[in-house]
Amino acid sequence: MANERDFLDEIIEIQKDWKAVSNPLGNLATALTTEAEPEKPWDPSQFKFTARGNASSCSRCSSKDPKVCSACLDVCPVGAITIKDGTIKVASNCRKCGLCVSVCPTDAMTDGHNTPRKMYDRIVKAAASHETCYVTCTRALGRNPLDNEVVFPCVGCIPTAVWFSVLSDYRNVSVYLPLGICDRCRTKTGEGVYVDQIARAEELTTRSVGLECDEGQMSRKKKRSFERREFMESLVRSGQQALAISNPALASARAIAKRLEEHTRQINQLQKTLEQACGSTTNQHKRRLLTQKRSLELSTFQSHPRLAERVKVKAPVCDSSRCTMCGECAKACPTHTIELDDAGRFSVEPTYCVSCGACVAVCREKALKLKRVDPELLIVPDPDAERREEALKRQKADLERLKAEGRAKLSKAAKALEQLDQDDK
């Protein structure tokens, strides 16, 4: 059972108790002779940054149709965003909440400090090492975060794709928000956004995000597997002096970092696979754009293919009898997923399409409509995983062959012995 303790767990507890009693005066002598390093004052601004707009990725700008998308405008609590004449401007009264980045389907609104992949990494680091990871905002925490507390300008700045990718592998993530904290916040739209984002991720994964309202009830315990790794590392490295090597916490952190590096490698390989399959550029020489939100989703589908069945995927479908091959749809596509070839054929790569509707809006002939497509199209083959699976199959086949050969030889030897026995009689 997962909760059963063994001898190693008992040793770890004894070690903790021994550390507590081995120096009954604690660090009193050290405190009297040396100056303690002062804790850095709480500075919420280190978690908040002004978003930037990229008009070339904006479906509203590329289509020149304000009805296509107004997500960032609708969610901004202070009306700091202006989209006019093909440009995006963010005013100085921006609250740096990141909500516009969260809801933008094409990654036109960005924050380099809080990208979807960086958000994922920060949450996973805490979730992989502790029994509970708490996601919270600067207003709710009001102090420097501990190792299992992940602070964002607003919980609403975390997009559904991040929640989806985290929940697919981790069940120990909670949101820490004291009761009424959102009611007193000037980012009035934040609560509605994070409720919607989390709800969609929970629906897709059939897992739930916890909620903690009382700071006194927050757990600080590390995962048993993490503590065991720390302890074993301390034994293995006990004779070494270098801090970076002998510190068991750093050693265990390296194991988590390795897992995140593997996730990054998976995403990079995924993009290479997509580019090899459909080309990195269109026949109009425009580079296809894979949004960070979509890349997180695709990497999750690779690891958990069954989850793709729950996603409602829409992509433009062309009525060739109406299409005049004007090419406006391809020009308006912010991710450059649409192609019109020389033979007059319309095609779209669903993995790159974010269903923004810009192509539908600019089609004067009404030849395009967004329709449901097979969600399994989002499952991108992983060449490395396929090679490992094939190698495993070969190993199993070789093992079965050797077993069969061994049984045949034993059977032959048994018959020979039996024959000798009969001859002796």
Side-chain angles (χ1 to χ4, degrees), residues 12 49-50 63 79 189 198 240 250 276 289 291 309 346 358 362 367 418:
I12 293 173
F49 304 91
T50 302
S63 66
T189 52
I198 293 175
Q240 307 210 21
L250 292 179
Q276 290 171 357
L289 301 177
T291 66
E309 301 173 0
F346 172 95
V362 299
E418 185 180 351

Side-chain angles (χ1 to χ4, degrees), residues 191-245:
E191 184 176 14
V193 174
Y194 77 70
V195 167
D196 182 54
Q197 304 281 40
I198 293 175
R200 280 189 283 168
E202 290 179 332
E203 182 181 1
L204 292 173
T205 59
T206 66
R207 295 181 178 180
S208 59
V209 176
L211 176 63
E212 182 57 68
C213 301
D214 183 358
E215 184 175 357
Q217 297 299 315
M218 293 169 70
S219 169
R220 310 299 180 199
K221 289 184 178 180
K222 293 179 181 178
K223 280 186 175 179
R224 186 190 301 179
S225 59
F226 188 82
E227 285 190 323
R228 289 165 71 94
R229 190 181 295 113
E230 281 185 338
F231 181 73
M232 294 307 296
E233 286 283 349
S234 68
L235 292 180
V236 173
R237 306 295 187 185
S238 59
Q240 307 210 21
Q241 298 299 318
L243 177 63
I245 297 177

Side-chain angles (χ1 to χ4, degrees), residues 158-170:
I158 308 169
T160 296
V162 174
W163 286 115
F164 170 67
S165 296
V166 169
L167 288 179
S168 64
D169 288 317
Y170 297 92

Side-chain angles (χ1 to χ4, degrees), residues 103-163:
V103 300
C104 180
T106 61
D107 283 0
M109 300 301 297
T110 58
D111 173 3
H113 298 84
N114 286 310
T115 65
R117 284 171 65 171
K118 288 181 179 179
M119 290 180 179
Y120 172 88
D121 286 356
R122 290 175 61 193
I123 296 173
V124 165
K125 281 181 181 178
S129 59
H130 288 76
E131 289 187 359
T132 306
C133 161
Y134 296 100
V135 176
T136 186
C137 69
T138 55
R139 184 179 180 86
L141 197 63
R143 57 171 171 76
N144 290 319
L146 301 178
D147 290 343
N148 64 330
E149 297 168 345
V150 189
V151 183
F152 294 101
C154 174
V155 176
C157 78
I158 308 169
T160 296
V162 174
W163 286 115

Side-chain angles (χ1 to χ4, degrees), residues 32-46:
L32 292 173
T33 56
T34 61
E35 292 185 7
E37 184 178 349
E39 182 180 358
K40 293 181 180 179
W42 165 241
D43 181 11
S45 67
Q46 65 180 315

Side-chain angles (χ1 to χ4, degrees), residues 270 294 297-299 301-302 308 311-313 350-353 373-381:
L270 181 149
R294 176 52 59 87
E297 292 172 341
L298 295 181
S299 66
F301 294 144
Q302 275 190 336
V311 180
K312 295 179 180 179
V313 185
T351 48
Y352 288 93
C353 179
V373 297
D374 186 354
E376 290 197 3
L377 293 172
L378 297 182
I379 303 175
V380 181

